[in-house]
């Protein structure tokens, strides 16, 4: 007997090998048990898996990859399933192998890889399992007076492995960089079940190709990451947040640049518009921060060992903003942050969004924010548009509600404009399946050919997350 899905059947022999590898209770084949793993956070992407497999050690991960490799099953690595480009859930149409036969899809969940090793106090580093959530990691390292350089709204569910695989960005990039810059060591399993491991945490290591950097942003297409060694940053015990009402995105970018120059303690500079803020307030039930509505808002945060309030307040007093408020106590800071971080959930609650996460040259953010709205209106006059993001590092999230999830006209309009303006079609969420059609347009044929060469070298049979990042080769 075999377990039938929309791809090829997964033979009992393989299911038995998986059960032998990870234990029978950690191989989920029942449709009800698979369901939450099969649909992404936005509900836009969904596919059927033959099984969800939950290994708890690197050797179990290797056993899963070998068992799947033997029958040509596709392996879809999944962490917290908070990814926004459909790369962590099975493909809607079963992928094909080299001979054109359809592959069954196996979700490899990393959630049981949750070791938290002791913080290395001298190096300021920590090694953790790929399935540890960002919130658990933050709690762990903060107890030792350290912090994690990357932070973002999905912290309660997003995993360290997923953050490396997507090269996550978040709200502190202008201070500490993206996830790739935090990674000083990695353990991962290649498609053939072999294990690569380099975890001593050497800050300087020029011994050959930097595999941790290569795996950062590889979106589950090159290896399954099982453990990560991260550089930590000092915990900033005193924080102050300010919200500035501004005329437009250009002014927000200019203010952010001025604050980056004048405030060594600046940790975040975030943008949102009034429609987005009203949506968040309706969703969360909060109060507006200003009596009047304003076109755009810039949220900035400073963090330091001593109270940064005076320097932040003095710096924003120099800026000709329309209005401003500042907060340093935890509750008030949280309420201001909620206005920005609440966007993702509020938009998702209002419909199935088209999420375009783009990078734009910072000097052109103002122009982009105007033109992109016109481009969307032309593509779909009825669409609702919310633009927010990390203005301090040139990353805008263009969210569109209204068009059918399958209708890509607005996606195309936004991404075409992004490339025309010298930007990138993904800033921090990745290509996933959502933007596969746009990879060559953005990167060009020679880059994509080089990437495919790397993919073929590490995963010759193409079983690791097929259909993600690259279009499937016919
Ligand atoms: P998943 O969604 O499970 O997987 C994402 C991708 O990584 C998939 O391609 C998957 O195959 C691969 N993958 C996962 N784990 C592994 C592994 N161990 N080995 C190999 N491949 C793996 N992203 C940002 O960058 N910045 C933000 O500010 C931000 N804010 C968010 C806020 C909300 C409310 C939500 C829902 C999402 C947000 N995201 C943000 C997107 C998302 O949280 C990140 O992309 C995150 O890094 C994904 O982690 P995950 O564990 O959920 O990965
Ligand atoms: C954010 O910055 O809020 C996240 O990247 C998620 C999103 O784009 O909604
Ligand atoms: Zn973001």
């Amino acid at each position: 007997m075999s377990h039938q899905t929309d791809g090829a059947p997964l033979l009992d022999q393989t299911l038995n090998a998986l059960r032998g590898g990870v234990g029978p209770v950690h191989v989920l084949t029942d449709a009800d048990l698979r369901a939450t793993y099969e649909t992404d956070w936005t509900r836009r992407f969904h596919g059927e898996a033959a099984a969800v497999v939950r290994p708890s050690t690197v050797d179990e991960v290797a056993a899963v990859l070998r068992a799947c490799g033997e029958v040509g099953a596709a392996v879809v690595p999944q962490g917290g399933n908070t990814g926004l480009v459909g790369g962590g859930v099975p493909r809607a149409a079963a992928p094909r192998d080299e001979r054109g036969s359809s592959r069954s899809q196996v979700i490899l969940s990393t959630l049981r890889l949750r070791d938290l090793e002791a913080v290395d106090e001298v190096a300021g580093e920590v090694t953790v399992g790929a399935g540890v959530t960002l919130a658990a990691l933050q709690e762990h390292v903060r107890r030792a007076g350290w912090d994690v350089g990357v932070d973002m709204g999905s912290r309660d569910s997003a995993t360290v492995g997923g953050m490396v695989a997507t090269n996550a960005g978040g709200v502190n990039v202008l201070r500490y960089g993206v996830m790739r810059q935090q990674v000083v060591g990695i353990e991962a399993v290649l498609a053939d079940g072999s294990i690569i491991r380099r975890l001593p945490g050497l800050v300087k290591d020029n011994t050959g190709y930097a595999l941790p950097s290569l795996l950062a942003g590889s979106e589950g297409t090159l290896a399954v990451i099982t453990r990560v060694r991260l550089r930590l940053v000092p915990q900033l015990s005193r924080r102050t947040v300010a919200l500035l009402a501004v005329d437009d995105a250009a002014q927000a970018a200019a203010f952010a640049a001025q604050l980056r120059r004048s405030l060594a303690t600046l940790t975040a500079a975030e943008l949102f518009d009034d429609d987005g803020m009203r949506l968040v307030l309706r969703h969360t039930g909060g109060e507006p921060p200003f009596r009047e509505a304003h076109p755009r808002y810039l949220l900035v945060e400073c963090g330091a060992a001593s109270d940064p309030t005076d320097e932040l307040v003095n710096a924003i007093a120099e800026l000709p903003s329309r209005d401003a408020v500042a907060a340093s106590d935890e509750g008030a800071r949280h309420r201001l942050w909620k206005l920005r971080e609440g966007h993702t959930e509020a938009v998702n609650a209002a419909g199935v969004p088209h999420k375009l996460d783009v990078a734009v040259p910072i000097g052109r953010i103002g122009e982009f924010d105007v033109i992109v709205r016109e481009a969307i209106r032309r593509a779909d006059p009825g669409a609702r548009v919310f633009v927010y993001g990390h203005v301090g590092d040139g990353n805008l999230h263009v969210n569109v509600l209204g068009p059918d999830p399958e209708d890509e006209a607005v996606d195309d309009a936004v991404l075409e404009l992004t490339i025309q303006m010298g930007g990138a079609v993904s800033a921090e969420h990745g290509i996933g399946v959502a933007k596969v059609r746009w990879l060559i347009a953005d990167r060009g044929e020679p880059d994509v050919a080089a990437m495919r060469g790397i993919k073929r070298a590490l995963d010759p049979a193409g079983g690791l997350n097929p259909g993600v990042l690259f279009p499937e080769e016919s």
Side-chain angles (χ1 to χ4, degrees):
M1 215 181 82
S2 58
H3 184 84
Q4 186 72 47
T5 66
D6 69 339
L10 197 62
L11 300 174
D12 266 357
Q13 202 185 337
T14 307
L15 282 173
N16 286 339
L18 294 173
R19 289 184 183 117
V22 305
V25 294
H26 296 298
V27 178
L28 316 179
T29 53
D30 188 88
D32 288 348
L33 297 177
R34 295 191 327 253
T36 56
Y37 297 87
E38 291 180 328
T39 299
D40 83 312
W41 198 87
T42 66
R43 311 176 304 279
R44 191 176 177 198
F45 304 100
H46 170 86
E48 200 181 326
V52 177
V53 186
R54 296 164 40 94
S56 67
T57 65
V58 63
D59 291 331
E60 290 185 3
V61 172
V64 171
L65 287 177
R66 278 195 299 269
C68 290
E70 270 166 29
V71 292
V75 174
V76 180
Q78 186 183 96
N81 197 11
T82 65
L84 299 171
V85 287
V89 294
R91 309 301 87 86
R96 305 261 149 197
D97 66 16
E98 315 90 318
R99 292 184 305 282
S101 312
S102 69
R103 299 175 187 267
S104 49
Q105 305 187 71
V106 171
I107 298 174
L108 189 160
S109 167
T110 61
L111 291 180
R112 292 178 67 232
L113 298 167
R114 43 170 188 253
D115 283 354
L116 280 168
E117 293 184 18
V119 171
D120 180 336
E121 299 277 1
V122 180
E125 295 175 359
V126 70
T127 301
V128 298
V132 167
T133 64
L134 174 57
L137 175 63
Q138 287 171 330
E139 197 187 326
H140 178 62
V141 302
R142 283 175 188 166
R143 268 190 247 118
W146 293 93
D147 212 335
V148 185
V150 168
D151 191 17
M152 56 189 189
S154 52
R155 58 185 74 80
D156 290 332
S157 305
T159 63
V160 171
M163 291 170 68
V164 176
T166 56
N167 190 24
V171 293
N172 297 145
V173 170
L174 61 83
R175 180 79 170 259
Y176 300 120
V178 294
M179 200 62 189
R180 181 179 285 121
Q181 281 139 2
Q182 322 303 318
V183 179
V184 286
I186 215 156
E187 177 190 80
V189 184
L190 301 180
D192 64 0
S194 57
I195 297 168
I196 55 171
R197 183 182 289 123
R198 193 148 179 99
L199 291 165
L202 304 173
V203 175
K204 300 179 90 171
D205 181 2
N206 277 351
T207 321
Y209 298 147
L211 297 178
S213 298
L214 176 64
L215 295 188
S218 62
E219 300 189 49
T221 63
L222 297 181
V224 177
I225 298 161
T226 49
R227 270 203 293 172
V228 181
R229 186 161 179 96
L230 293 169
R231 130 190 14 256
L232 301 173
V233 299
Q235 193 178 341
L236 305 175
S237 50
R238 306 297 299 273
R239 288 174 187 270
T240 304
V241 178
L243 186 69
L244 286 73
V246 297
D247 294 336
D248 50 29
Q251 191 178 50
F255 285 3
Q258 193 162 329
L259 295 175
R260 280 167 63 208
R261 259 197 319 273
S262 60
L263 294 170
T265 55
L266 192 72
T267 55
E270 300 284 312
L271 173 76
F272 48 93
D273 59 28
D274 195 61
D275 287 344
M277 187 179 77
R278 305 278 149 195
L279 191 75
V280 172
L281 290 171
R282 275 198 298 279
H283 184 65
T284 59
E287 288 296 313
F290 303 114
R291 219 173 298 163
E292 273 179 58
H294 299 280
R296 301 284 182 277
Y297 302 96
L298 171 68
L299 180 145
V300 292
E301 182 179 71
C302 287
S306 56
D307 189 358
T309 306
D310 286 349
E311 61 171 325
L312 176 57
V313 168
N314 291 340
I316 62 180
E318 303 280 308
L319 303 172
S321 65
R322 299 162 68 107
D323 208 342
V325 288
S328 54
D329 75 88
E330 200 180 338
R333 276 194 287 123
H334 180 76
R335 280 192 291 284
L336 289 180
W337 262 116
K338 192 75 196 161
L339 297 174
R340 163 63 185 88
E341 285 195 337
H343 274 70
T344 316
E345 277 192 27
V347 169
N348 227 46
V352 177
H354 292 242
K355 297 185 78 74
L356 291 318
D357 149 54
V358 301
V360 188
I362 300 188
R364 301 191 73 181
I365 273 198
E367 189 188 346
F368 180 85
D369 182 46
V370 173
I371 306 177
V372 78
R373 292 166 194 270
E374 291 162 6
I376 295 168
R377 226 181 337 271
R378 275 196 303 277
D380 186 333
R384 295 167 73 194
V385 184
F386 305 94
V387 180
Y388 53 90
H390 317 287
V391 68
D393 50 71
N395 175 191
L396 291 183
H397 297 308
V398 181
N399 283 246
V400 185
L401 285 174
D404 188 87
E406 304 297 322
D407 175 356
E408 302 206 54
V410 293
D411 304 48
D412 290 351
V414 174
L415 299 182
E416 197 176 315
L417 175 67
T418 302
I419 292 175
Q420 267 169 24
M421 290 185 64
V425 299
S426 170
E428 59 175 11
H429 296 166
I431 294 293
V433 294
K435 297 180 181 172
V436 159
R437 286 193 301 115
W438 284 90
L439 183 71
I440 289 183
D442 186 321
R443 294 294 301 264
E445 299 272 2
D447 278 29
V448 176
M451 289 187 223
R452 275 201 192 275
I454 294 168
K455 167 76 175 168
R456 269 189 224 108
L458 295 187
D459 179 20
L464 271 177
N465 232 359
V468 164
L469 201 52
F470 307 105
E472 277 202 82
E473 278 176 307
S474 50

